[in-house]
Amino acid sequence: MSATSDRKALIIGASRGLGHVLANELARRGWRVTATTRQGGGELQANADASNGQLKVESLEMTSSEQLAALRERLEDDGRRLDLLFVNAAIDRGNLPIHEVSTDMFTEVMITNALSPLRTLEALRGLVAPGGTVAVMSSDQGSISRNTEDGYELYKASKAALNQLMRSYTTRHADDGHTKLLIDPGHNQTQLGGPDAPLTPQESIPAVVDVLEAQTGAPGLQFLDRHGETVPW
């Protein structure tokens, strides 16, 4: 890895919540961060404007292959080689038993939470430097062995699918020299996690960044929580 001040990260899905705090925390630690959002402006852009070039905002709708290709081209033109590519974006459409989930809702959640993150990795992995890290925000709700309570069946299925697809990605790219991580940040007070969650992103994300930095250069794929402990598949 390069010197701390030269480390570069791309965070996909940083307009709010975990991704927003992640981008800010990396920038605070001296990383040069590019963070994507579907809509311009807002607090992320204000942070970027005040960052003296440490944080840059790019527009991206992750589910659009055309926008992914355009983002890759812009970053290639800048000559940026990434030390970290982190895909954070995900959605939840409520607590319904699976038989009450419409086909359209199922398709939307699976495309956003499972298919699009892997398309994003495939589109952008060529920007990651040798020895760099490719990471995706997962959840312990994607753990099949821990699924012992009812509720949020579609969200759980989408995260389990994400984890499985990341295993397939790792198999196909076993020799690329990238560290590969699935991160469970814990139950946080976000739009997705709800206001009664026990953690805030400001509490959990510094620990997540500690894990990202500590795992640099680790081989294979790991599913880890914010303490660096293995989450069971």
PDB file of all heavy atoms in Angstrom, residues 90-102 105-106 108-109 113 141 150-158 191-194:
ATOM      1  N   ALA A  90     -27.781  -0.244  -0.596  1.00  0.00           N
ATOM      2  CA  ALA A  90     -28.774  -1.307  -0.399  1.00  0.00           C
ATOM      3  C   ALA A  90     -30.118  -0.667  -0.063  1.00  0.00           C
ATOM      4  O   ALA A  90     -30.173   0.478   0.371  1.00  0.00           O
ATOM      5  CB  ALA A  90     -28.355  -2.262   0.716  1.00  0.00           C
ATOM      6  N   ILE A  91     -31.195  -1.427  -0.268  1.00  0.00           N
ATOM      7  CA  ILE A  91     -32.538  -0.951   0.056  1.00  0.00           C
ATOM      8  C   ILE A  91     -33.284  -2.028   0.838  1.00  0.00           C
ATOM      9  O   ILE A  91     -32.903  -3.193   0.857  1.00  0.00           O
ATOM     10  CB  ILE A  91     -33.348  -0.581  -1.207  1.00  0.00           C
ATOM     11  CG1 ILE A  91     -33.521  -1.802  -2.121  1.00  0.00           C
ATOM     12  CG2 ILE A  91     -32.709   0.581  -1.928  1.00  0.00           C
ATOM     13  CD1 ILE A  91     -34.473  -1.565  -3.289  1.00  0.00           C
ATOM     14  N   ASP A  92     -34.373  -1.608   1.476  1.00  0.00           N
ATOM     15  CA  ASP A  92     -35.262  -2.518   2.186  1.00  0.00           C
ATOM     16  C   ASP A  92     -36.688  -2.066   1.887  1.00  0.00           C
ATOM     17  O   ASP A  92     -36.957  -0.866   1.855  1.00  0.00           O
ATOM     18  CB  ASP A  92     -34.985  -2.468   3.691  1.00  0.00           C
ATOM     19  CG  ASP A  92     -36.006  -3.244   4.496  1.00  0.00           C
ATOM     20  OD1 ASP A  92     -36.450  -4.295   4.017  1.00  0.00           O
ATOM     21  OD2 ASP A  92     -36.358  -2.788   5.593  1.00  0.00           O
ATOM     22  N   ARG A  93     -37.577  -2.987   1.665  1.00  0.00           N
ATOM     23  CA  ARG A  93     -38.958  -2.629   1.327  1.00  0.00           C
ATOM     24  C   ARG A  93     -39.951  -3.156   2.355  1.00  0.00           C
ATOM     25  O   ARG A  93     -41.096  -3.458   2.055  1.00  0.00           O
ATOM     26  CB  ARG A  93     -39.298  -3.137  -0.083  1.00  0.00           C
ATOM     27  CG  ARG A  93     -38.586  -2.364  -1.195  1.00  0.00           C
ATOM     28  CD  ARG A  93     -39.070  -0.932  -1.232  1.00  0.00           C
ATOM     29  NE  ARG A  93     -38.437  -0.137  -2.272  1.00  0.00           N
ATOM     30  CZ  ARG A  93     -37.477   0.770  -2.057  1.00  0.00           C
ATOM     31  NH1 ARG A  93     -37.009   0.943  -0.830  1.00  0.00           N
ATOM     32  NH2 ARG A  93     -36.983   1.484  -3.046  1.00  0.00           N
ATOM     33  N   GLY A  94     -39.498  -3.259   3.607  1.00  0.00           N
ATOM     34  CA  GLY A  94     -40.449  -3.570   4.664  1.00  0.00           C
ATOM     35  C   GLY A  94     -40.442  -5.012   5.100  1.00  0.00           C
ATOM     36  O   GLY A  94     -39.790  -5.876   4.512  1.00  0.00           O
ATOM     37  N   ASN A  95     -41.210  -5.263   6.162  1.00  0.00           N
ATOM     38  CA  ASN A  95     -41.223  -6.563   6.835  1.00  0.00           C
ATOM     39  C   ASN A  95     -42.437  -7.361   6.404  1.00  0.00           C
ATOM     40  O   ASN A  95     -43.453  -7.401   7.095  1.00  0.00           O
ATOM     41  CB  ASN A  95     -41.204  -6.350   8.346  1.00  0.00           C
ATOM     42  CG  ASN A  95     -41.091  -7.657   9.105  1.00  0.00           C
ATOM     43  OD1 ASN A  95     -40.793  -8.691   8.518  1.00  0.00           O
ATOM     44  ND2 ASN A  95     -41.328  -7.609  10.398  1.00  0.00           N
ATOM     45  N   LEU A  96     -42.325  -8.014   5.251  1.00  0.00           N
ATOM     46  CA  LEU A  96     -43.394  -8.851   4.739  1.00  0.00           C
ATOM     47  C   LEU A  96     -42.938 -10.297   4.667  1.00  0.00           C
ATOM     48  O   LEU A  96     -41.787 -10.571   4.315  1.00  0.00           O
ATOM     49  CB  LEU A  96     -43.788  -8.410   3.316  1.00  0.00           C
ATOM     50  CG  LEU A  96     -44.402  -7.030   3.149  1.00  0.00           C
ATOM     51  CD1 LEU A  96     -44.566  -6.715   1.663  1.00  0.00           C
ATOM     52  CD2 LEU A  96     -45.743  -6.948   3.855  1.00  0.00           C
ATOM     53  N   PRO A  97     -43.827 -11.253   4.974  1.00  0.00           N
ATOM     54  CA  PRO A  97     -43.486 -12.645   4.681  1.00  0.00           C
ATOM     55  C   PRO A  97     -43.352 -12.809   3.172  1.00  0.00           C
ATOM     56  O   PRO A  97     -43.991 -12.094   2.390  1.00  0.00           O
ATOM     57  CB  PRO A  97     -44.666 -13.431   5.251  1.00  0.00           C
ATOM     58  CG  PRO A  97     -45.793 -12.445   5.320  1.00  0.00           C
ATOM     59  CD  PRO A  97     -45.167 -11.108   5.557  1.00  0.00           C
ATOM     60  N   ILE A  98     -42.504 -13.726   2.745  1.00  0.00           N
ATOM     61  CA  ILE A  98     -42.114 -13.779   1.337  1.00  0.00           C
ATOM     62  C   ILE A  98     -43.311 -13.998   0.410  1.00  0.00           C
ATOM     63  O   ILE A  98     -43.328 -13.508  -0.721  1.00  0.00           O
ATOM     64  CB  ILE A  98     -41.029 -14.854   1.120  1.00  0.00           C
ATOM     65  CG1 ILE A  98     -40.314 -14.641  -0.214  1.00  0.00           C
ATOM     66  CG2 ILE A  98     -41.603 -16.259   1.246  1.00  0.00           C
ATOM     67  CD1 ILE A  98     -39.526 -13.346  -0.297  1.00  0.00           C
ATOM     68  N   HIS A  99     -44.356 -14.691   0.891  1.00  0.00           N
ATOM     69  CA  HIS A  99     -45.496 -14.950   0.005  1.00  0.00           C
ATOM     70  C   HIS A  99     -46.338 -13.696  -0.235  1.00  0.00           C
ATOM     71  O   HIS A  99     -47.176 -13.673  -1.132  1.00  0.00           O
ATOM     72  CB  HIS A  99     -46.378 -16.084   0.567  1.00  0.00           C
ATOM     73  CG  HIS A  99     -46.998 -15.778   1.884  1.00  0.00           C
ATOM     74  ND1 HIS A  99     -46.301 -15.888   3.073  1.00  0.00           N
ATOM     75  CD2 HIS A  99     -48.246 -15.348   2.213  1.00  0.00           C
ATOM     76  CE1 HIS A  99     -47.091 -15.553   4.073  1.00  0.00           C
ATOM     77  NE2 HIS A  99     -48.285 -15.228   3.592  1.00  0.00           N
ATOM     78  N   GLU A 100     -46.096 -12.640   0.545  1.00  0.00           N
ATOM     79  CA  GLU A 100     -46.807 -11.381   0.327  1.00  0.00           C
ATOM     80  C   GLU A 100     -45.978 -10.369  -0.469  1.00  0.00           C
ATOM     81  O   GLU A 100     -46.447  -9.272  -0.755  1.00  0.00           O
ATOM     82  CB  GLU A 100     -47.200 -10.767   1.677  1.00  0.00           C
ATOM     83  CG  GLU A 100     -48.218 -11.592   2.448  1.00  0.00           C
ATOM     84  CD  GLU A 100     -48.613 -10.945   3.766  1.00  0.00           C
ATOM     85  OE1 GLU A 100     -48.290  -9.757   3.967  1.00  0.00           O
ATOM     86  OE2 GLU A 100     -49.246 -11.641   4.594  1.00  0.00           O
ATOM     87  N   VAL A 101     -44.769 -10.733  -0.829  1.00  0.00           N
ATOM     88  CA  VAL A 101     -43.898  -9.849  -1.598  1.00  0.00           C
ATOM     89  C   VAL A 101     -44.268  -9.936  -3.073  1.00  0.00           C
ATOM     90  O   VAL A 101     -44.328 -11.036  -3.641  1.00  0.00           O
ATOM     91  CB  VAL A 101     -42.420 -10.242  -1.393  1.00  0.00           C
ATOM     92  CG1 VAL A 101     -41.504  -9.488  -2.346  1.00  0.00           C
ATOM     93  CG2 VAL A 101     -42.006 -10.003   0.055  1.00  0.00           C
ATOM     94  N   SER A 102     -44.506  -8.784  -3.682  1.00  0.00           N
ATOM     95  CA  SER A 102     -44.843  -8.784  -5.103  1.00  0.00           C
ATOM     96  C   SER A 102     -43.610  -9.118  -5.933  1.00  0.00           C
ATOM     97  O   SER A 102     -42.465  -8.945  -5.499  1.00  0.00           O
ATOM     98  CB  SER A 102     -45.379  -7.417  -5.527  1.00  0.00           C
ATOM     99  OG  SER A 102     -44.340  -6.440  -5.516  1.00  0.00           O
ATOM    100  N   MET A 105     -41.466  -6.038  -6.335  1.00  0.00           N
ATOM    101  CA  MET A 105     -40.683  -5.708  -5.151  1.00  0.00           C
ATOM    102  C   MET A 105     -39.491  -6.660  -5.010  1.00  0.00           C
ATOM    103  O   MET A 105     -38.367  -6.221  -4.711  1.00  0.00           O
ATOM    104  CB  MET A 105     -41.563  -5.792  -3.897  1.00  0.00           C
ATOM    105  CG  MET A 105     -40.824  -5.414  -2.612  1.00  0.00           C
ATOM    106  SD  MET A 105     -41.843  -5.691  -1.136  1.00  0.00           S
ATOM    107  CE  MET A 105     -43.140  -4.466  -1.392  1.00  0.00           C
ATOM    108  N   PHE A 106     -39.741  -7.945  -5.229  1.00  0.00           N
ATOM    109  CA  PHE A 106     -38.669  -8.921  -5.147  1.00  0.00           C
ATOM    110  C   PHE A 106     -37.565  -8.584  -6.137  1.00  0.00           C
ATOM    111  O   PHE A 106     -36.374  -8.582  -5.793  1.00  0.00           O
ATOM    112  CB  PHE A 106     -39.212 -10.319  -5.428  1.00  0.00           C
ATOM    113  CG  PHE A 106     -38.202 -11.422  -5.294  1.00  0.00           C
ATOM    114  CD1 PHE A 106     -38.002 -12.052  -4.083  1.00  0.00           C
ATOM    115  CD2 PHE A 106     -37.448 -11.823  -6.388  1.00  0.00           C
ATOM    116  CE1 PHE A 106     -37.063 -13.063  -3.952  1.00  0.00           C
ATOM    117  CE2 PHE A 106     -36.501 -12.836  -6.269  1.00  0.00           C
ATOM    118  CZ  PHE A 106     -36.309 -13.461  -5.044  1.00  0.00           C
ATOM    119  N   GLU A 108     -36.876  -5.663  -7.563  1.00  0.00           N
ATOM    120  CA  GLU A 108     -36.198  -4.414  -7.219  1.00  0.00           C
ATOM    121  C   GLU A 108     -35.147  -4.627  -6.136  1.00  0.00           C
ATOM    122  O   GLU A 108     -34.004  -4.143  -6.257  1.00  0.00           O
ATOM    123  CB  GLU A 108     -37.220  -3.378  -6.748  1.00  0.00           C
ATOM    124  CG  GLU A 108     -36.590  -2.058  -6.330  1.00  0.00           C
ATOM    125  CD  GLU A 108     -37.549  -1.148  -5.586  1.00  0.00           C
ATOM    126  OE1 GLU A 108     -38.538  -1.652  -5.005  1.00  0.00           O
ATOM    127  OE2 GLU A 108     -37.300   0.069  -5.578  1.00  0.00           O
ATOM    128  N   VAL A 109     -35.505  -5.344  -5.072  1.00  0.00           N
ATOM    129  CA  VAL A 109     -34.578  -5.537  -3.960  1.00  0.00           C
ATOM    130  C   VAL A 109     -33.408  -6.422  -4.380  1.00  0.00           C
ATOM    131  O   VAL A 109     -32.245  -6.130  -4.045  1.00  0.00           O
ATOM    132  CB  VAL A 109     -35.311  -6.119  -2.740  1.00  0.00           C
ATOM    133  CG1 VAL A 109     -34.325  -6.527  -1.653  1.00  0.00           C
ATOM    134  CG2 VAL A 109     -36.304  -5.098  -2.197  1.00  0.00           C
ATOM    135  N   ASN A 113     -29.674  -5.008  -4.200  1.00  0.00           N
ATOM    136  CA  ASN A 113     -28.866  -5.511  -3.090  1.00  0.00           C
ATOM    137  C   ASN A 113     -27.900  -6.623  -3.465  1.00  0.00           C
ATOM    138  O   ASN A 113     -26.898  -6.824  -2.768  1.00  0.00           O
ATOM    139  CB  ASN A 113     -29.763  -6.013  -1.963  1.00  0.00           C
ATOM    140  CG  ASN A 113     -30.521  -4.901  -1.277  1.00  0.00           C
ATOM    141  OD1 ASN A 113     -30.459  -3.754  -1.676  1.00  0.00           O
ATOM    142  ND2 ASN A 113     -31.261  -5.247  -0.242  1.00  0.00           N
ATOM    143  N   GLN A 141     -27.756 -10.432   8.852  1.00  0.00           N
ATOM    144  CA  GLN A 141     -29.045 -10.967   8.393  1.00  0.00           C
ATOM    145  C   GLN A 141     -28.887 -11.787   7.116  1.00  0.00           C
ATOM    146  O   GLN A 141     -29.805 -12.490   6.717  1.00  0.00           O
ATOM    147  CB  GLN A 141     -30.054  -9.840   8.191  1.00  0.00           C
ATOM    148  CG  GLN A 141     -30.444  -9.179   9.498  1.00  0.00           C
ATOM    149  CD  GLN A 141     -31.730  -8.394   9.395  1.00  0.00           C
ATOM    150  OE1 GLN A 141     -32.809  -8.949   9.237  1.00  0.00           O
ATOM    151  NE2 GLN A 141     -31.614  -7.078   9.478  1.00  0.00           N
ATOM    152  N   ASP A 150     -37.993 -14.674  13.042  1.00  0.00           N
ATOM    153  CA  ASP A 150     -38.763 -14.326  11.855  1.00  0.00           C
ATOM    154  C   ASP A 150     -38.583 -12.842  11.509  1.00  0.00           C
ATOM    155  O   ASP A 150     -38.045 -12.064  12.290  1.00  0.00           O
ATOM    156  CB  ASP A 150     -40.242 -14.676  12.032  1.00  0.00           C
ATOM    157  CG  ASP A 150     -40.891 -13.896  13.176  1.00  0.00           C
ATOM    158  OD1 ASP A 150     -40.241 -13.005  13.749  1.00  0.00           O
ATOM    159  OD2 ASP A 150     -42.063 -14.181  13.482  1.00  0.00           O
ATOM    160  N   GLY A 151     -39.046 -12.491  10.304  1.00  0.00           N
ATOM    161  CA  GLY A 151     -39.034 -11.105   9.883  1.00  0.00           C
ATOM    162  C   GLY A 151     -38.052 -10.803   8.754  1.00  0.00           C
ATOM    163  O   GLY A 151     -37.045 -11.461   8.574  1.00  0.00           O
ATOM    164  N   TYR A 152     -38.394  -9.781   7.980  1.00  0.00           N
ATOM    165  CA  TYR A 152     -37.538  -9.198   6.932  1.00  0.00           C
ATOM    166  C   TYR A 152     -36.972 -10.267   6.000  1.00  0.00           C
ATOM    167  O   TYR A 152     -35.780 -10.299   5.700  1.00  0.00           O
ATOM    168  CB  TYR A 152     -36.427  -8.343   7.564  1.00  0.00           C
ATOM    169  CG  TYR A 152     -36.994  -7.152   8.297  1.00  0.00           C
ATOM    170  CD1 TYR A 152     -37.262  -7.226   9.668  1.00  0.00           C
ATOM    171  CD2 TYR A 152     -37.313  -5.990   7.606  1.00  0.00           C
ATOM    172  CE1 TYR A 152     -37.822  -6.149  10.343  1.00  0.00           C
ATOM    173  CE2 TYR A 152     -37.870  -4.907   8.260  1.00  0.00           C
ATOM    174  CZ  TYR A 152     -38.128  -4.989   9.629  1.00  0.00           C
ATOM    175  OH  TYR A 152     -38.696  -3.923  10.281  1.00  0.00           O
ATOM    176  N   GLU A 153     -37.859 -11.122   5.513  1.00  0.00           N
ATOM    177  CA  GLU A 153     -37.432 -12.279   4.736  1.00  0.00           C
ATOM    178  C   GLU A 153     -36.781 -11.883   3.415  1.00  0.00           C
ATOM    179  O   GLU A 153     -35.789 -12.493   3.000  1.00  0.00           O
ATOM    180  CB  GLU A 153     -38.623 -13.211   4.498  1.00  0.00           C
ATOM    181  CG  GLU A 153     -39.152 -13.811   5.794  1.00  0.00           C
ATOM    182  CD  GLU A 153     -40.369 -14.705   5.596  1.00  0.00           C
ATOM    183  OE1 GLU A 153     -40.550 -15.228   4.477  1.00  0.00           O
ATOM    184  OE2 GLU A 153     -41.135 -14.876   6.559  1.00  0.00           O
ATOM    185  N   LEU A 154     -37.323 -10.877   2.745  1.00  0.00           N
ATOM    186  CA  LEU A 154     -36.763 -10.479   1.463  1.00  0.00           C
ATOM    187  C   LEU A 154     -35.385  -9.851   1.637  1.00  0.00           C
ATOM    188  O   LEU A 154     -34.448 -10.152   0.893  1.00  0.00           O
ATOM    189  CB  LEU A 154     -37.707  -9.506   0.750  1.00  0.00           C
ATOM    190  CG  LEU A 154     -37.201  -8.919  -0.569  1.00  0.00           C
ATOM    191  CD1 LEU A 154     -36.804 -10.016  -1.552  1.00  0.00           C
ATOM    192  CD2 LEU A 154     -38.260  -8.003  -1.177  1.00  0.00           C
ATOM    193  N   TYR A 155     -35.250  -8.985   2.630  1.00  0.00           N
ATOM    194  CA  TYR A 155     -33.949  -8.356   2.875  1.00  0.00           C
ATOM    195  C   TYR A 155     -32.904  -9.414   3.224  1.00  0.00           C
ATOM    196  O   TYR A 155     -31.778  -9.398   2.713  1.00  0.00           O
ATOM    197  CB  TYR A 155     -34.066  -7.329   3.997  1.00  0.00           C
ATOM    198  CG  TYR A 155     -32.766  -6.621   4.295  1.00  0.00           C
ATOM    199  CD1 TYR A 155     -32.283  -5.620   3.460  1.00  0.00           C
ATOM    200  CD2 TYR A 155     -32.006  -6.965   5.409  1.00  0.00           C
ATOM    201  CE1 TYR A 155     -31.089  -4.975   3.724  1.00  0.00           C
ATOM    202  CE2 TYR A 155     -30.808  -6.326   5.689  1.00  0.00           C
ATOM    203  CZ  TYR A 155     -30.357  -5.334   4.840  1.00  0.00           C
ATOM    204  OH  TYR A 155     -29.172  -4.701   5.105  1.00  0.00           O
ATOM    205  N   LYS A 156     -33.267 -10.352   4.096  1.00  0.00           N
ATOM    206  CA  LYS A 156     -32.343 -11.426   4.456  1.00  0.00           C
ATOM    207  C   LYS A 156     -31.936 -12.221   3.217  1.00  0.00           C
ATOM    208  O   LYS A 156     -30.754 -12.565   3.047  1.00  0.00           O
ATOM    209  CB  LYS A 156     -32.989 -12.360   5.475  1.00  0.00           C
ATOM    210  CG  LYS A 156     -33.165 -11.767   6.869  1.00  0.00           C
ATOM    211  CD  LYS A 156     -33.906 -12.758   7.757  1.00  0.00           C
ATOM    212  CE  LYS A 156     -34.079 -12.231   9.174  1.00  0.00           C
ATOM    213  NZ  LYS A 156     -34.867 -13.167  10.013  1.00  0.00           N
ATOM    214  N   ALA A 157     -32.911 -12.537   2.370  1.00  0.00           N
ATOM    215  CA  ALA A 157     -32.610 -13.311   1.167  1.00  0.00           C
ATOM    216  C   ALA A 157     -31.677 -12.550   0.241  1.00  0.00           C
ATOM    217  O   ALA A 157     -30.778 -13.134  -0.374  1.00  0.00           O
ATOM    218  CB  ALA A 157     -33.908 -13.660   0.442  1.00  0.00           C
ATOM    219  N   SER A 158     -31.878 -11.240   0.146  1.00  0.00           N
ATOM    220  CA  SER A 158     -31.025 -10.447  -0.744  1.00  0.00           C
ATOM    221  C   SER A 158     -29.593 -10.396  -0.245  1.00  0.00           C
ATOM    222  O   SER A 158     -28.640 -10.441  -1.037  1.00  0.00           O
ATOM    223  CB  SER A 158     -31.593  -9.027  -0.901  1.00  0.00           C
ATOM    224  OG  SER A 158     -31.399  -8.238   0.261  1.00  0.00           O
ATOM    225  N   GLN A 191     -31.750   4.928   7.840  1.00  0.00           N
ATOM    226  CA  GLN A 191     -33.086   4.815   7.255  1.00  0.00           C
ATOM    227  C   GLN A 191     -33.488   3.345   7.152  1.00  0.00           C
ATOM    228  O   GLN A 191     -34.652   2.994   7.364  1.00  0.00           O
ATOM    229  CB  GLN A 191     -33.111   5.473   5.880  1.00  0.00           C
ATOM    230  CG  GLN A 191     -34.490   5.494   5.242  1.00  0.00           C
ATOM    231  CD  GLN A 191     -34.506   6.248   3.929  1.00  0.00           C
ATOM    232  OE1 GLN A 191     -33.528   6.248   3.190  1.00  0.00           O
ATOM    233  NE2 GLN A 191     -35.611   6.911   3.639  1.00  0.00           N
ATOM    234  N   LEU A 192     -32.521   2.489   6.891  1.00  0.00           N
ATOM    235  CA  LEU A 192     -32.804   1.065   6.765  1.00  0.00           C
ATOM    236  C   LEU A 192     -32.909   0.398   8.133  1.00  0.00           C
ATOM    237  O   LEU A 192     -33.793  -0.422   8.367  1.00  0.00           O
ATOM    238  CB  LEU A 192     -31.712   0.412   5.913  1.00  0.00           C
ATOM    239  CG  LEU A 192     -31.942  -1.010   5.409  1.00  0.00           C
ATOM    240  CD1 LEU A 192     -31.240  -1.207   4.066  1.00  0.00           C
ATOM    241  CD2 LEU A 192     -31.450  -2.040   6.399  1.00  0.00           C
ATOM    242  N   GLY A 193     -32.018   0.774   9.070  1.00  0.00           N
ATOM    243  CA  GLY A 193     -31.983   0.114  10.371  1.00  0.00           C
ATOM    244  C   GLY A 193     -33.022   0.588  11.357  1.00  0.00           C
ATOM    245  O   GLY A 193     -33.333  -0.112  12.326  1.00  0.00           O
ATOM    246  N   GLY A 194     -33.562   1.801  11.126  1.00  0.00           N
ATOM    247  CA  GLY A 194     -34.594   2.326  12.007  1.00  0.00           C
ATOM    248  C   GLY A 194     -34.021   3.102  13.180  1.00  0.00           C
ATOM    249  O   GLY A 194     -32.851   2.962  13.541  1.00  0.00           O
TER     250      GLY A 194
END
